[in-house]
Structure formats: structure tokens, C-alpha cells
Amino acid sequence: MGYQYLLFDLDGTLTDPKEGITKCFQYALKDFGIDEPDINQLTWMIGPPLIESFMEGYGFTKEEAERGIKKYRERYTTVGWAENKEYPGIAQTLFKLREAGFVLATATSKPMDMAKKILKHFDLAQYFEVIGGASLDLSRCQKSSVIEYTLDCLNVHGTEQVLMIGDRKYDALGAKEFGMDCLGVLYGYGSGEELLQAGVVGLVKDAEELYTWCMAHQQ
């Protein structure tokens, strides 16, 4: 059986958020007296929920992590969100997948309003039936809870025809909780080893390969 519904991660899958996210982490960490001068040392923070990055990466308490998120968003909501780049060929791939009959949605750990803002900025929002994202109050921030929300919005109850597409293990592990397959993209911020260990059903190196793989596995 093939796929009919495609759920996309945002950061590292549809757009490259490196500059904005890493600089916002720098900004937030300075509030704790932590200096991280090289943004390339912060790319590991692209993908997980923010609260996990602060707590697991720096040993913050939940309260400290929430304070860090607040500082992060100070910069992200004004400057960081626009320090973003669309991956080559993504718009054309989304257009062709939708024309081929797939139903497209996002399932991102980024706050939903911000995800909508970014996708509209790049003129990508038009391709998605649902833009699923996290809630600002952190009640819905784990990938699995975002996937559940997105499936509910799509009114999809069986997951055999649903494919998650993302660049980090969090996408694959979140999908696995619902018995869904996940396709890994190698142009983002997770390695092939990370994605394979998390159980992805395939790996693609660019937007063109993404389109070809999905077409070969359509319902």
C-alpha cells in the first residue's frame, strides 16, 4: 500500500533556518552568561523542541529552559524568523506532489503561528491542507503531539497511507509512535546514520529525489 498523505517537518526540511535559530540561541544563552561564539557549534539544536535543547544540552531546569525560550523568542519573532532560506527546488516539488494527488501538511515543533508566517513569506503555505505546529504554551511541543494534532486536523484516523518527512531522528521517532513511516532528507541537519538508526524507510539527498521517491511510493 502506498501513501496519500505527506507530513513535512519545517526546519531542515522545507527551509534552512541555521542563521536565525543559532543566533537566537546565542542571544538566549548570553542571558545565562554562556558565550557560544561559533554558530556552527549550535546546529545540533535545530530540530528538537526548544525546551529539550536547553535542558539536555545545557542542563537547565524546566524553569530555566522556559526562561531561555522566552529570550530566544524575543529575537526570533522580530529578526530570526526572517534569517531563513528556502531549500532549492522545494516549491516546485511541493507543487508537483500536490498536483499528483498527495495531501500535504506540516508537522513541525515550531510554534504554529510562526510556521504559518514563514511558509507564507516563502509562498509555500498555499501547498498545505493543514499547517500543524507546536503551541506557544508548550502543551503541544513534542513531535508526536504535533503529529497527532495534524492528523486530527486532516481527519485521518489510520496511518498506513501517511508518510512523515524530516531531517532529524525526532521526526522518525514521532512517526513511529503512530505506526507511521518516515522518509529522511539528507540536506538538513541530521546525518544518514542518525536517521537510519531511528528507523526511516528511505533517504533522499535533495528535493528532486524527494519527489521521485514519493511518486514511486504513491497509493
Side-chain angles (χ1 to χ4, degrees):
M1 184 181 292
Y3 307 109
Q4 180 184 359
Y5 299 90
L6 305 179
L7 273 53
F8 287 83
D9 177 43
L10 176 54
D11 291 336
T13 302
L14 298 175
T15 63
D16 182 354
K18 176 182 175 180
E19 183 180 357
I21 286 181
T22 54
K23 286 184 176 179
C24 289
F25 271 118
Q26 281 181 326
Y27 176 81
L29 290 169
K30 280 181 181 177
D31 198 51
F32 293 86
I34 300 171
D35 186 29
E36 290 282 9
D38 184 2
I39 63 171
N40 293 310
Q41 299 302 314
L42 293 171
T43 55
W44 63 271
M45 287 181 147
I46 301 172
L50 290 175
I51 195 163
E52 283 188 23
S53 294
F54 281 116
M55 292 178 72
E56 295 179 12
Y58 291 91
F60 283 10
T61 64
K62 186 171 183 288
E63 292 72 23
E64 288 172 331
E66 288 173 351
R67 178 181 138 204
I69 290 170
K70 195 171 181 180
K71 291 300 292 184
Y72 173 97
R73 287 177 176 162
E74 273 182 15
R75 188 183 186 281
Y76 194 85
T77 55
T78 54
V79 179
W81 75 271
E83 296 170 328
N84 218 319
K85 298 174 184 175
E86 178 187 332
Y87 282 116
I90 281 295
Q92 184 181 18
T93 289
L94 295 175
F95 172 80
K96 291 194 298 182
L97 288 172
R98 196 179 67 165
E99 288 293 297
F102 287 102
V103 178
L104 312 184
T106 70
T108 171
S109 294
K110 186 177 293 300
M112 193 158 61
D113 287 349
M114 188 54 65
K116 289 178 179 178
K117 187 174 184 177
I118 291 169
L119 290 170
K120 285 177 182 176
H121 175 72
F122 288 108
D123 203 24
L124 299 178
Q126 60 180 308
Y127 301 117
F128 296 101
E129 191 74 21
V130 169
I131 296 176
S135 58
L136 279 173
D137 65 1
L138 304 181
S139 62
R140 185 177 69 247
C141 67
Q142 298 298 323
K143 182 64 72 167
S144 57
S145 61
V146 174
I147 290 174
E148 183 177 27
Y149 171 83
T150 303
L151 292 174
D152 285 345
C153 289
L154 288 169
N155 198 29
V156 171
H157 304 293
T159 58
E160 300 86 357
Q161 298 174 4
V162 186
L163 177 69
M164 182 72 210
I165 300 168
D167 68 315
R168 297 296 310 275
K169 65 181 179 181
Y170 308 95
D171 301 302
L173 297 175
K176 194 177 292 185
E177 289 191 40
F178 293 90
M180 287 166 46
D181 290 339
C182 180
L183 176 66
V185 302
L186 293 173
Y187 52 81
Y189 289 92
S191 66
E193 182 182 8
E194 173 189 321
L195 289 162
L196 289 170
Q197 285 182 353
V200 296
V201 292
L203 295 169
V204 294
K205 72 176 188 297
D206 55 29
E208 186 176 348
E209 272 196 9
L210 171 59
Y211 171 74
T212 301
W213 195 97
C214 290
M215 289 301 297
H217 297 82
Q218 189 175 21
Q219 182 187 16

